[in-house]
C-alpha cells in the first residue's frame, strides 16, 4: 500500500518558517513511528501570485483535490494590499475551501495550563478549557447571491445575502454531532432565529437531525449574541458549538483570544469523504502570515504543528499519535520554553522558531 499523501502549501510571511518545523515532525513520524507520508510542496497566496500571477494555480488546485490532506501555512502581506480583490492572496485560500467543499471548519479553543496566565480572562475561567467551534465554511453570507455594490436611485447600495439550504445545515450539524460523540457529547447551536429566517431554518434542521439520529448527544440552542456573551462569561460550559460561516468567524476569534495566544491554535477544514473514506481536508493554523515578524526566527510554530496533529486525528485515524504530539507540545511549554509571542513571565526560556521545533521533536523522542 502506498503512503498517505500530503500537500504542503507554506504560503507567505511566517508560513514557510513554521512549516519547516512541521516538516521535522512529519519526518519524525516516518522514522520513528513507521508512519511515512508522501509529501509534496507547492505555492499559495502571494508566493503563488509572484510566480504565476494568481494566488492559486489551477495545477495546485488539482493537486489539492487529489491528496489525502493539505497543510497550509498562511497567506497575505502588505506587498499585496493594492491588488485587485479577485487576485488577493486570501482568494487562494477561499478558492481551496470552496472547490474542495470544506464545509465543516473545526476550530478548537484549548487552554494549555502553562499559558493560563496569558488570557485576558481570570485564570480559573480558562484553565483546562477545551471547546470546539464547528463553523460552516462554504455558504452563508460569504457566498450568497445576490452580492455587490449597486446603484439605487441616486445612491449606492451594498448587498450580501445570508442563504442556507436545508442540506447545507444538515451536513454541518451531522459533523458537529459526530464530533461531540468523540468528546464531551454536547452541542450548542448558535444563530439569530429571533431576527433571521435563515436562523429559524438553521434551528429547525439542527433539531431535526438531532431528534432523528443523535438523541444521545445533548443539544441546546442559543442566539449568537447571547452565545458570545456566554463564551466570555464561562466558556467551560461548552463542548462543541455549531454555527454559520459569519458567526463562526466572529465567535472563533473571540474564543481564540481566551486561550492567550493566536500562535497556539490549529484548525481543520473537512469536506465529504473521498473514495478511500477519508474526508477532503485542509489543516492550517488560525494565525495569519504576521509579515512584521517574518524571517526573524520569532514565529511560534506550535499552531501549525498542532494542525498536523489534527491531520493525524481526522484524516489518518491516528488519534493516539495526535495525542502524543499534543503532549509533546504541552511538555515543552511546561518546561518553560517560549517563543517571542509568549514571553513576559519570569523564569521562562526564550527560544527561536527553530529551537521550539527541535524541542518538540526531542519531546516526541522522549515519549517513546
Ligand atoms: C478566517 C479568516 C478568513 C475568513 C479571511 C482571511 C478570508 O478571517 O479564516 O477566519 O474570514 O474566513
Ligand atoms: Mg476570521
Amino acid at each position: 500500500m502506498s503512503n498517505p499523501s500530503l500537500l504542503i502549501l507554506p504560503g507567505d510571511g511566517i508560513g514557510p518558517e513554521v512549516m519547516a518545523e512541521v516538516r521535522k515532525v512529519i519526518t519524525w513520524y516516518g522514522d520513528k513511528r513507521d508512519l511515512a507520508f508522501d509529501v509534496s510542496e507547492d505555492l499559495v497566496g502571494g508566493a503563488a501570485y509572484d510566480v504565476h500571477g494568481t494566488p492559486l494555480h489551477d495545477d495546485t488546485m488539482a493537486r489539492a483535490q487529489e491528496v489525502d490532506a493539505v497543510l497550509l501555512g498562511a497567506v497575505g502581506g502588505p506587498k499585496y494590499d493594492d491588488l485587485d480583490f479577485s487576485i488577493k492572496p486570501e482568494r487562494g485560500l477561499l478558492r481551496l475551501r470552496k472547490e474542495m467543499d470544506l464545509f465543516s471548519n473545526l476550530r478548537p479553543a484549548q487552554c494549555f495550563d502553562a499559558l493560563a496566565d496569558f488570557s485576558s480572562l481570570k485564570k480559573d475561567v480558562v484553565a483546562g478549557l477545551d471547546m470546539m467551534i464547528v463553523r460552516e465554511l462554504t455558504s452563508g453570507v460569504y457566498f450568497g447571491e445576490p452580492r455587490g455594490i449597486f446603484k439605487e436611485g441616486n445612491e449606492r447600495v451594498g448587498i450580501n445575502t445570508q442563504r442556507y439550504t436545508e442540506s447545507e445545515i444538515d451536513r454541518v450539524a451531522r459533523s458537529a454531532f459526530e464530533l461531540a460523540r468523540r468528546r464531551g457529547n454536547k452541542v450548542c447551536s448558535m444563530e439569530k432565529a429571533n431576527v433571521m429566517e435563515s436562523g429559524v431554518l438553521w434551528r429547525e434542521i439542527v433539531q431535526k437531525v438531532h431528534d432523528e439520529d443523535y438523541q444521545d448527544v445533548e443539544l441546546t440552542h442559543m442566539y449568537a449574541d447571547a452565545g458570545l456573551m456566554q463564551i466570555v462569561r464561562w466558556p467551560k460550559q461548552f463542548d462543541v458549538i455549531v454555527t454559520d460561516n459569519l458567526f463562526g468567524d466572529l465567535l472563533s476569534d473571540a474564543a481564540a483570544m481566551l486561550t492567550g495566544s493566536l500562535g497556539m491554535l490549529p484548525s481543520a477544514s473537512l469536506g465529504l469523504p473521498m473514495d478511500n473514506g477519508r474526508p477532503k481536508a485542509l489543516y492550517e493554523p488560525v494565525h495569519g502570515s504576521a509579515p512584521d515578524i517574518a524571517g526573524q526566527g520569532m514565529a511560534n510554530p506550535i499552531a501549525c504543528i498542532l494542525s498536523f496533529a489534527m491531520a493525524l486525528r481526522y484524516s489518518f485515524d491516528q488519534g493516539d499519535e495526535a495525542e502524543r504530539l499534543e503532549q509533546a507540545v504541552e511538555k515543552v511549554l511546561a518546561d518553560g520554553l517560549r517563543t517571542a509571542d509568549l514571553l513576559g513571565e519570569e523564569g521562562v526560556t526564550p527560544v527561536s522558531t527553530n529551537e521550539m521545533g527541535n524541542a518538540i521533536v526531542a519531546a516526541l523522542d522522549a515519549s517513546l
Side-chain angles (χ1 to χ4, degrees), residues 64 82 109 129 177 185 194 198 201 238 251-252 299 306 329 349:
D82 295 332
L129 172 69
F177 288 125
N185 219 35
N194 49 346
S198 63
L201 188 67
F238 296 112
L251 297 181
S252 64
L306 290 177
V329 168
T349 312

Side-chain angles (χ1 to χ4, degrees), residues 177 187-191 193 199-208 210-211 218-224 226-227 238 242:
F177 288 125
V187 171
C188 180
S189 169
M190 296 189 186
E191 27 55 22
V200 173
L201 188 67
W202 182 281
R203 185 176 285 223
E204 183 190 316
I205 300 299
V206 172
Q207 188 67 49
K208 176 162 165 271
H210 170 267
D211 294 349
E218 181 190 315
L219 171 66
T220 53
H221 304 272
M222 281 186 195
Y223 298 139
F238 296 112
V242 63

Side-chain angles (χ1 to χ4, degrees), residues 89-165:
E90 290 78 5
R91 299 309 299 178
L93 178 57
L94 289 172
R95 181 174 174 204
L96 282 164
R97 289 175 179 173
K98 186 70 181 171
E99 290 194 23
M100 291 171 75
D101 200 16
L102 304 172
F103 61 90
S104 179
N105 179 216
L106 278 40
R107 298 190 165 192
Q110 208 177 348
C111 186
F112 288 85
D113 284 349
L115 300 178
D117 283 326
F118 258 89
S119 176
S120 52
L121 299 187
K122 293 196 195 86
K123 189 167 179 167
D124 70 306
V125 176
V126 294
L129 172 69
D130 178 12
M131 61 183 247
M132 178 81 87
I133 293 179
V134 177
R135 168 189 176 192
E136 200 291 326
L137 201 59
T138 51
S139 185
V141 76
Y142 270 59
F143 296 99
E145 299 283 345
R147 64 183 297 167
I149 301 175
F150 304 100
K151 191 99 180 128
E152 203 175 86
N154 51 12
E155 63 172 355
R156 290 176 306 158
V157 52
I159 295 181
N160 290 91
T161 302
Q162 167 81 335
R163 180 186 152 93
Y164 271 106
T165 64

